[in-house]
Structure formats: C-alpha cells, structure tokens
Amino acid sequence: LVLFSSRAPRRRRGGRLCTLPPPPAAAYTEVPFHSRHGAKVYPMTGGPRLMEAGAEPGLRFACVLDGKGGCTDLDWAGIARWQPQDGFVWIHLERDEPTAQDWIRNQCGIDPVIAEALLAEESRPRVEDIEDALLVVLRGINRDDENGRAVDLVPIHVWFDGARAISLRDQNHALSALRDIRLALVAGRGPRRPGELFVQISEKVVKYMEPLLADMEDEVDRLDREVLEALSDSWRNTLAELRRQA
C-alpha cells in the first residue's frame, strides 16, 4: 500500500484559493508508519515506490495477497503478527543470511527436516508432495545487475502450504523471475490466488531460462560439427546410424 497525492498545495489569498508551486524535491520527507500487519507505508510524491528490498536483514520482501492482484507489504514484525485469516502471505528470504536461517529453523513452525531442505547449499530440482504442502526446488537464472547478462543457474527453494509461500535465494543472486511477480503484485496485476503464484513462479523461471538453454544448444551443435569434421568417415557413419536408431 502506497499513499500519495498529486494535488498541489493551496493557500487562501485575499478571500480566494490559489495554487502554490510544489516545493523542491529535497523538501519532501518520507516518514514510515505501520499498517496493522506491521508493513512500512510511505506517504509518497512522484508516484508509488516499492518498499526497499533487503531493508531488513534476511528479508527481501513479504506481502499478503489481497485476492485482487495486489498485496500489502510486511516487515519482520508484521510477519510475526500475521495469522492465516489475514490472507495468503508470500515471504521471500535470503537463504544464506543468519536472521532468515534462524526464522526458518526456529520461528516459522516448519518441520526441521523441511527447514534444512530449504536451507540446503545445493539441491537438485524437484517437487515433493508433503501432506498438504509442496517443497519445490528450481534453478533460475542469476543475472549480472550491471549488464543484465545471465551468469549461472542458481537454486530457488520454495515451500507452499495452505496459508503461505516461503521462497529463498542467496544474498548475491539476482533473479528476474521473482522480481517480475513482485512488481506485478505492487502494480495490482499479480497473482490473486496461491495456485496462480505457484504457476507464475514456475513459468517465469522457465521463461528466463529459455535464452540460456538456446545458447547452450547452439554451442553444443557447434562443438558437434567440429567433432564430426575431425572424425573419419567410418566414425561419422557409425554416429549417424546410432542417431537413426535413437
């Protein structure tokens, strides 16, 4: 939730109201107050702005879905006060940050085995159905913030139950897939239900991987051609036959 007003300040002069020019940008201050969930809400000028990601240790962001495509932000205090009846909450954490690790292990109420799986250093991509919840491990594109190029594939750990989604990535990773969903929620065009959030996370991860996979495929084809050109005719015939059989 971001509150702002585009109405210019007005003052009564000589019995009539006149519009005053806006003060310079430096004159505006942002003083946070708290919603009932503990979210920091800023009175803004010049349009809405995201709550600063990573402003609190270990917490990239947390928000309660409003069921209409929007959300209400939470800080750590808001997360502590949150109750399932407040709505479905998405909590995105830094996996390798001590505050987030302590919350996962000791405060969020997840089974210790699941907690360690979420905090694991390396995990293979998988989806595990655990009673009425899902443990999901994906690999997303880590991008260089300076030039936007793909750097490597990094794990994204996600826990879905009936009331919340908890996702984790490392502090030094930049994942465009999750950022896109976050921006859509802030703009009121995000997922409305938990199932939509799960689908969008999966689809966005795949979408950002496609260019990298295409580049890898092109490189494999190039190497394949170079190897074939260096082989004798008998080897090429054998490989061609194996490919036909496959």
Side-chain angles (χ1 to χ4, degrees), residues 151-166:
V151 178
D152 51 7
L153 293 174
V154 297
I156 308 168
H157 301 73
V158 190
W159 173 255
F160 281 93
D161 59 30
R164 61 189 174 176
I166 302 172

Side-chain angles (χ1 to χ4, degrees), residues 65 67-69 88 190-199:
L65 275 61
K68 302 176 182 179
F88 188 87
R192 294 166 295 176
R193 294 180 292 275
E196 291 182 18
L197 176 61
F198 175 73
V199 169

Side-chain angles (χ1 to χ4, degrees), residues 99-187:
T99 303
Q101 292 176 345
D102 177 73
W103 186 82
I104 289 288
R105 289 189 173 110
N106 303 314
Q107 301 179 52
C108 71
I110 290 178
D111 182 275
V113 175
I114 303 301
E116 293 307 316
L118 288 172
L119 296 172
E121 185 73 25
E122 286 293 337
S123 299
R124 59 179 178 82
R126 67 187 188 276
V127 177
E128 294 186 19
D129 186 356
I130 303 171
E131 296 181 353
D132 294 329
L134 289 175
L135 172 64
V136 182
V137 181
L138 303 170
R139 288 194 178 275
I141 296 295
N142 179 35
R143 292 192 172 273
D144 184 341
D145 284 337
E146 292 185 358
N147 55 33
R149 68 181 181 85
V151 178
D152 51 7
L153 293 174
V154 297
I156 308 168
H157 301 73
V158 190
W159 173 255
F160 281 93
D161 59 30
R164 61 189 174 176
I166 302 172
S167 55
L168 301 98
R169 56 89 159 164
D170 286 4
Q171 295 182 68
N172 61 342
H173 293 163
L175 297 168
S176 300
L178 300 188
R179 184 164 54 243
D180 285 356
I181 302 172
R182 163 70 169 154
L183 290 171
L185 281 167
V186 171

